[in-house]
């Protein structure tokens, strides 16, 4: 952890790479359908001619920017630019609708920078011990974690509990369509080839979140977002003050994000959800969450940015990628001849530490860059006449969905889901539970089947599912999260429908 | 006809030609002209991996990438098209342009077993596989601190406690799974296979002691180094990277094989294009620097070109279908 | 609105969708009977049952306590239909006339659908040009920088 590595990270070239990466990543992340994974995949060959540390810094900076960039579309268009920004729509879009969009964007920036720093510092100081967390999480823990994530549906569906749960179950059914991972069966395709690939998360996200918004935008002459006539730049200090007031939320969410990022296969979306759930459960004003509560954005954006640093922990220490972008980074490293694994920190220490410092620098650079881009993004979305905004976003959804798997059928599926999502939203069925079910379904299923297989083989089913300490802790959190909204729904029984 | 890059001089000329070609290509693309079929590379090639990033297919493609650029002067762009365990990519291959700019990775046993199980959108013979350039030999992997020091230890434990030895692996009806079934038959044991999504997840499970062993590949041993111990590898001779690890054959189990990986073109590609690609990949494959990188990664080299592909595939089809039928995976 | 709660749009729609979900759950259960591996049946069956129970509960409670909640609300229908059908047509046209051409269909229809003010020569020009620029820049970004094979 020598300081010399910090200096080598501070070379003008590396700083330029970090800045470029953060900016490019932010732009990429803000376009729904374009993911960090795609961007990294394309840019890997450029890194072959660079030295490993600089290459890593570039890739890490893009990744950092992309996770942050997803918030723009989430806040301003109710469409997560990347899956990690799903939970940001919960409070981001309501805030934008009531004219606080620029505040939301600035908040997202501060939170992302803070969360990213926490993740990067964890990577710097605590990587080897924290990597053990990644290993301690077995199939059963993943199963309970996904149940915990799904319990968020209950707490989200203020008053519409049954409909929310139905949506979640529906999402989970959607996730089973196609070739099963844990067995060789093909499910719910009804003999058609089109559905063999199943419902991709990104396509479903775009369909279920963005299309309904567009359908309603064309239908009415009102402006898309309310615009406050006066105050513009003062909002940055306002955002800062709000963030400082929620210090505990910030810190807790960043830690949660780092820990979830360490778990391979979990990723930014799960981190945002878990952090949001906790913030809502412990927040002063539960009801305000989901209607434009700044604490919601603070929680989700700091958590999902913390997964960047957190995800690199198992990637570098164990050679096991925490998230798909990490897998690409691993590939790039391998080509350069850098061996990952426990020896990496000692053998290739200079590369690793230079990279981590570079990541920290990139995260810091995201503050000015992000605020600037955020302001620009907000201004343009708000001032572009709706007549141009709608077709542009519509066009973006088509090209973005196509780019996921180079398939037109994906776009058609996305549109069908979109119309369906709009329809059911009219009658009380929200989109988020469905997307949650879609994301968490596979994690739940695989965890359950694997846990069951192992438990049955070792004649230890009960102990397997209920006897492990981490699982017990997660179950406890789940129960706490569930009891609150059921209690609230019970209190409100006479007035709201279930 | 294929490009061959031997000196920097020729390289520089080709770079200039490439830039001019690129500009022309862009203009042509913008006006949507169909290109005349010829056995030449024009511009960057698209190498589609039908899985997500990070797997063995991705790693081996990434290793090929710089050598391709070096030898033939063009960019090799790796993109991912996951879904259906590869089925989505393979089902879409023949819908792609056969002009030689697009290639796709293929995997055995996947492309043989999947169509045999259900209608997945393609048949094994549909895929114009023109080269098999490596395989990852099956291997049983345990953690470094595992009580199993040798394969015999594991077998003894499995015999004493049928069903209780849990082994992680990637997917079902995959190379790992077939290996586990085959070995159980040869050794007369009953182990429990726990499927995970990809080799990475299977390795995590092993390292986290969720299972006591893993059916993986030599690449796992290479990547994890001292954290793991391989009990045996399914090769004819010991892997150069692991001189201390016996082969299954040595220990009395007639098992060789693993997951084979190769590359295919859409079947609309001409015979010249196919031969050209076969030769290009062969050239990369015979480059000692490339071989070293692959071996260092734990891969095992293989050279089956377009000429020898038909017989190779026929033999594999027979072998895999027989194994799968015996295992009850297909009817 | 004038309609009684039990006959309102919101009521009918909510009941319809709940029923639809129950139906989907049943289809899923039926499909699981064709799986060969017990492992692949467990999860869909559990989830389908959950779906049927929750949608069923929602159905029953709504029947017992009708309300006006929900409905299509305000909004001009032909615009919505135009927008969505244009997007679908774009998808089907894409393999035939190429990406940019079908994109033009989507964009123009979107413009018409979203434009509530009166058209003037100036707006046609500006919107049309900006549209063209947007489409072409995205096309270049995706096709040539990100190497996405757009038709």
């Amino acid at each position: 952890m020598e300081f010399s590595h910090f200096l080598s990270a501070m070379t003008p070239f590396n700083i330029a790479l970090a800045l470029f990466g953060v900016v490019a990543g932010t732009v990429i992340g803000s376009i729904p359908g374009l993911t960090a994974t795609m961007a990294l995949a394309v840019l890997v060959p450029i890194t072959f001619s660079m030295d490993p540390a600089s290459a890593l810094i570039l890739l890490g900076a893009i990744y950092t920017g992309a996770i942050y960039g997803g918030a723009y579309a989430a806040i301003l268009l109710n469409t997560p630019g990347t899956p990690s920004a799903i939970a940001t729509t919960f409070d981001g879009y309501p805030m934008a609708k009531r004219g606080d969009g620029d505040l939301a964007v600035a908040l997202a920036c501060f939170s992302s920078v803070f969360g990213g720093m926490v993740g990067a510092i964890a990577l710097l100081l605590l990587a080897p011990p924290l990597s053990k967390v990644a290993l301690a999480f077995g199939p059963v823990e993943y199963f309970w974690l996904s149940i915990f994530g799904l319990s968020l549906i209950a707490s989200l569906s203020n008053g519409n509990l049954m409909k929310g749960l139905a949506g979640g179950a529906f999402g989970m059914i959607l996730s089973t369509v196609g070739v099963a991972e844990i067995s060789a069966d093909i499910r719910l395709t009804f003999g058609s080839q089109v559905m063999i690939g199943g419902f991709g998360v990104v396509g479903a996200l775009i369909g279920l979140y963005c299309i309904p918004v567009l359908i309603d935008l064309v239908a009415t002459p009102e402006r898309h977002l309310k615009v406050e006539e006066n105050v513009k730049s003062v909002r940055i200090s306002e955002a800062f003050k709000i963030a400082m007031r929620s210090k505990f939320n910030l810190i807790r969410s960043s830690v949660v994000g780092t820990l979830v990022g360490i778990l391979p296969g979990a990723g930014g979306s799960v981190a945002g959800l878990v952090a949001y759930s906790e913030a809502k459960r412990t927040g002063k004003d539960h009801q305000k969450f989901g209607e434009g509560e700044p604490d919601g954005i603070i929680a989700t954006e700091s958590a999902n940015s913390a997964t960047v640093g957190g995800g690199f922990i198992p990637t570098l220490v164990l050679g096991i990628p925490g998230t798909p972008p990490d897998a690409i980074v691993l590939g790039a490293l391998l080509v350069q001849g850098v061996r990952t694994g426990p020896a990496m920190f000692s053998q290739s220490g200079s590369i690793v530490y230079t990279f981590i410092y570079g990541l920290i620098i990139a995260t810091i650079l995201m503050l000015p860059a992000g605020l600037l881009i955020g302001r620009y993004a907000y201004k343009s979305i708000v001032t572009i006449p709706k007549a141009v905004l709608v077709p542009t976003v519509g066009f973006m959804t088509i090209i973005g969905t196509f780019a996921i798997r180079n398939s037109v059928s994906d776009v058609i599926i996305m549109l069908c889901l979109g119309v369906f999502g709009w329809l059911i939203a009219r009658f009380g069925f929200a989109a988020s539970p469905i997307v949650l079910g879609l994301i968490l379904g596979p994690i739940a299923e695989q965890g359950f089947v694997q846990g069951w297989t192992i438990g049955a083989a070792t004649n230890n089913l009960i102990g397997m599912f209920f006897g492990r300490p981490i699982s017990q802790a997660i179950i406890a959190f789940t129960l706490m999260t569930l009891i609150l909204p059921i209690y609230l729904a019970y209190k409100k029984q006479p007035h709201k429908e279930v | 006809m294929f490009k061959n890059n031997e000196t920097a001089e020729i390289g520089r000329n080709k770079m200039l030609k490439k830039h001019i070609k690129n500009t022309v290509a862009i203009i042509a693309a913008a006006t949507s002209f169909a290109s005349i079929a010829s056995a030449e590379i024009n511009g960057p090639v698209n190498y589609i991996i039908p899985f997500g990033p990070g797997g063995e297919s991705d790693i081996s493609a990434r290793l090929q990438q710089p050598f391709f650029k070096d030898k033939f002067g063009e960019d090799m762009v790796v993109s991912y098209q996951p879904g259906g365990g590869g089925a989505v990519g393979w089902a879409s291959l023949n819908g792609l342009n056969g002009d030689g700019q697009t290639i796709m990775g293929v995997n055995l046993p996947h492309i043989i077993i999947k169509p045999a199980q259900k209608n997945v959108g393609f048949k094994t013979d549909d895929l114009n596989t023109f080269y098999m350039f490596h395989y990852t030999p099956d291997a049983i992997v345990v953690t470094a601190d595992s009580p199993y020091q040798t394969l015999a230890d594991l077998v003894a434990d499995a015999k004493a406690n049928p069903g209780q030895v849990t082994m992680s692996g990637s997917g079902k009806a995959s190379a790992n799974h077939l290996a586990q079934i085959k070995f159980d038959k040869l050794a007369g044991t009953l182990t429990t296979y726990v499927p995970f999504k990809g080799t990475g997840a299977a390795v995590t499970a092993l390292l986290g002691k969720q299972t006591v062993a893993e059916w993986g590949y030599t690449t796992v041993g290479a990547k994890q180094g001292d954290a793991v111990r391989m009990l045996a590898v399914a090769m004819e001779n010991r892997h150069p990277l692991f001189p201390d690890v016996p082969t299954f054959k040595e220990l009395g189990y007639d098992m060789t094989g693993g997951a084979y990986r190769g590359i295919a073109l859409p079947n609309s590609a001409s015979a010249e294009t196919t031969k050209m690609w076969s030769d290009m990949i062969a050239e990369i494959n015979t480059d000692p620097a490339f071989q070293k990188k692959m071996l260092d990664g734990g891969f095992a080299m293989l050279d089956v070109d377009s000429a020898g592909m038909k017989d190779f595939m026929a033999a594999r089809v027979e072998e895999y279908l027989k194994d799968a039928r015996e295992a009850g995976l297909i009817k | 609105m004038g309609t009684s709660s039990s006959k309102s749009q919101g009521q009918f729609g909510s009941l319809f969708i709940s029923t639809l979900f129950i139906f989907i759950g049943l289809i899923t259960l039926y499909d699981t009977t064709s799986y060969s591996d017990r492992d692949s049946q467990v999860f869909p069956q559990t989830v389908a049952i959950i779906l049927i129970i929750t949608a069923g509960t929602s159905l029953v409670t709504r029947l017992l306590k009708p309300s006006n909640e929900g409905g299509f609300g305000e909004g001009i229908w032909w615009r919505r239909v135009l927008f969505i059908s244009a997007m679908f047509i774009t998808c089907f046209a894409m393999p035939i006339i190429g990406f940019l051409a079908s994109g033009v269909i989507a964009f123009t229809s979107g413009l018409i659908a979203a434009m509530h003010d009166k058209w003037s020569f100036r707006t046609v020009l500006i919107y049309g040009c900006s549209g063209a620029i947007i489409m072409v820049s995205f096309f270049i970004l995706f096709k040539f920088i990100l190497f996405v094979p757009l038709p």
Side-chain angles (χ1 to χ4, degrees), chain A residues 331-404:
Chain A
L333 282 178
L334 193 78
V335 173
Q336 297 236 3
V338 177
R339 292 281 216 92
T340 54
M344 186 176 185
F345 275 77
S346 39
Q347 273 173 9
S348 319
S350 63
I351 298 179
V352 174
Y353 284 115
T354 311
F355 159 62
I356 298 177
Y357 284 118
L359 192 65
I360 293 178
I361 294 176
T363 311
I364 297 176
L365 285 175
M366 194 159 71
L367 188 59
L371 285 175
L372 213 65
I373 302 179
R375 240 208 326 155
Y376 185 69
Y378 180 69
K379 277 231 204 105
S380 39
I381 297 280
V382 153
T383 53
I384 292 181
K386 185 157 72 165
V388 178
L389 181 67
V390 169
T392 308
V393 177
F395 181 74
M396 242 166 45
T397 62
I398 296 182
I399 199 172
T401 312
F402 180 85
I404 303 170

Side-chain angles (χ1 to χ4, degrees), chain B residues 56-76:
Chain B
E56 291 82 19
S57 305
D58 181 30
I59 303 285
S60 53
R62 293 285 175 192
L63 289 177
Q64 286 173 314
Q65 215 175 11
F67 285 93
F68 187 87
K69 174 82 191 237
D70 208 41
K71 291 179 189 300
F72 310 118
E74 295 288 5
D75 284 318
M76 188 185 238

Side-chain angles (χ1 to χ4, degrees), chain C residues 36-84:
Chain C
S36 55
D37 198 336
R38 177 85 191 114
D39 279 349
S40 37
Q41 289 175 330
V42 175
F43 189 72
Q45 281 174 346
T46 316
V47 170
I49 292 176
I50 295 179
L51 179 62
I52 294 175
I53 293 178
T54 52
T57 312
S58 176
L59 181 73
V60 167
T61 50
R62 187 72 184 239
L63 272 175
L64 294 178
K65 244 189 351 233
S67 79
N68 267 330
E69 259 177 70
F72 287 114
E74 304 285 306
I76 305 171
W77 274 100
W78 68 263
R79 293 180 183 272
R80 287 179 171 146
V81 171
L82 170 66
F83 179 62
I84 289 295

Side-chain angles (χ1 to χ4, degrees), chain A residues 31-52:
Chain A
I31 301 178
L34 266 189
T35 57
T37 314
M38 240 182 244
L40 289 179
V42 168
L43 288 170
V44 161
I46 300 184
T47 65
F48 291 158
S49 49
M50 288 185 215
D51 92 25

Side-chain angles (χ1 to χ4, degrees), chain B residues 10-82:
Chain B
I10 301 181
R12 273 196 290 276
N13 282 340
K14 287 219 184 311
M15 291 304 281
L16 184 55
K17 268 204 220 159
K18 185 195 95 169
H19 285 306
I20 298 180
K21 273 215 174 87
N22 268 351
T23 323
V24 172
I26 290 180
I27 297 177
T31 49
S32 309
F33 271 119
S35 61
I36 302 169
S38 65
E40 252 194 350
I41 304 283
N42 291 316
V45 299
N46 195 3
Y47 188 169
I48 305 179
I49 303 291
F51 302 97
E56 291 82 19
S57 305
D58 181 30
I59 303 285
S60 53
R62 293 285 175 192
L63 289 177
Q64 286 173 314
Q65 215 175 11
F67 285 93
F68 187 87
K69 174 82 191 237
D70 208 41
K71 291 179 189 300
F72 310 118
E74 295 288 5
D75 284 318
M76 188 185 238
V77 180
V78 177
S79 61
Y80 306 101
Q81 215 179 35

Side-chain angles (χ1 to χ4, degrees), chain A residues 163 185 187-188 218 497, chain C residues 14 31 36 40 62 80 116:
Chain A
K163 288 187 171 171
D185 277 313
R187 303 190 283 196
L188 286 175
V218 294
E497 80 160 302
Chain C
S14 181
D31 198 61
S36 55
S40 37
R62 187 72 184 239
R80 287 179 171 146
H116 288 263

